[in-house]
Amino acid sequence: MDLKLKPFDFAQAAAKAGMADVARRVEAKTRAEAAQGSGAVEKPSFQTALTGALGSISKAQATATSLQREVQFDNPTVSLEETMIAMQKAQLGFQSAVQVRNKLVQAYTDIMNMQV
């Protein structure tokens, strides 16, 4: 079975969904990026998106840890509220990453169990 996937056109999908203003902005941004960089431009991929998301989660965890340390040392410039919000952001990011991992493992298992 030969399966060919077409690239997803977000602007077209937004236009079909009745979001013409979003479609125009996406098309304008795409044209601007194409005109600006005539060199080798990295196309978006799942791998780069996942790597960026994991980097963002790691940065949020590091920020939360440093804020916790500053609160423990009684730094007057760091508030408890700010620290708690950073901790919740880091926790939500980590939980999201775990859920994505679980879905990927489940999809892999389902594909491997398919009858050919």
Side-chain angles (χ1 to χ4, degrees):
M1 171 191 250
D2 188 24
L3 180 65
K4 302 250 185 205
L5 297 176
K6 295 186 289 185
F8 181 72
D9 187 2
F10 185 78
Q12 184 181 12
K16 284 182 181 178
M19 298 185 295
D21 59 329
V22 174
R24 283 192 302 272
R25 284 185 288 177
V26 169
E27 286 175 353
K29 184 176 179 182
T30 303
R31 274 189 252 121
E33 288 175 353
Q36 183 183 36
S38 60
V41 177
E42 183 180 335
K43 292 186 176 182
S45 68
F46 181 74
Q47 179 181 359
T48 56
L50 188 61
T51 302
L54 290 176
S56 162
I57 292 168
S58 177
K59 188 185 295 185
Q61 289 177 335
T63 302
T65 301
S66 67
L67 287 174
Q68 284 176 336
R69 190 176 313 115
E70 293 298 320
V71 166
Q72 288 173 349
F73 291 142
D74 291 329
N75 186 345
T77 61
V78 178
S79 68
L80 181 62
E81 295 84 6
E82 180 184 8
T83 304
M84 295 301 289
I85 290 171
M87 289 171 52
Q88 287 298 315
K89 284 182 182 179
Q91 183 180 9
L92 283 172
F94 181 73
Q95 288 174 353
S96 299
V98 169
Q99 290 299 321
V100 168
R101 186 218 44 193
N102 291 344
K103 292 290 183 183
L104 286 172
V105 169
Q106 182 63 40
Y108 176 79
T109 304
D110 290 346
I111 289 171
M112 293 306 294
N113 289 333
M114 281 184 182
Q115 296 284 333
V116 180

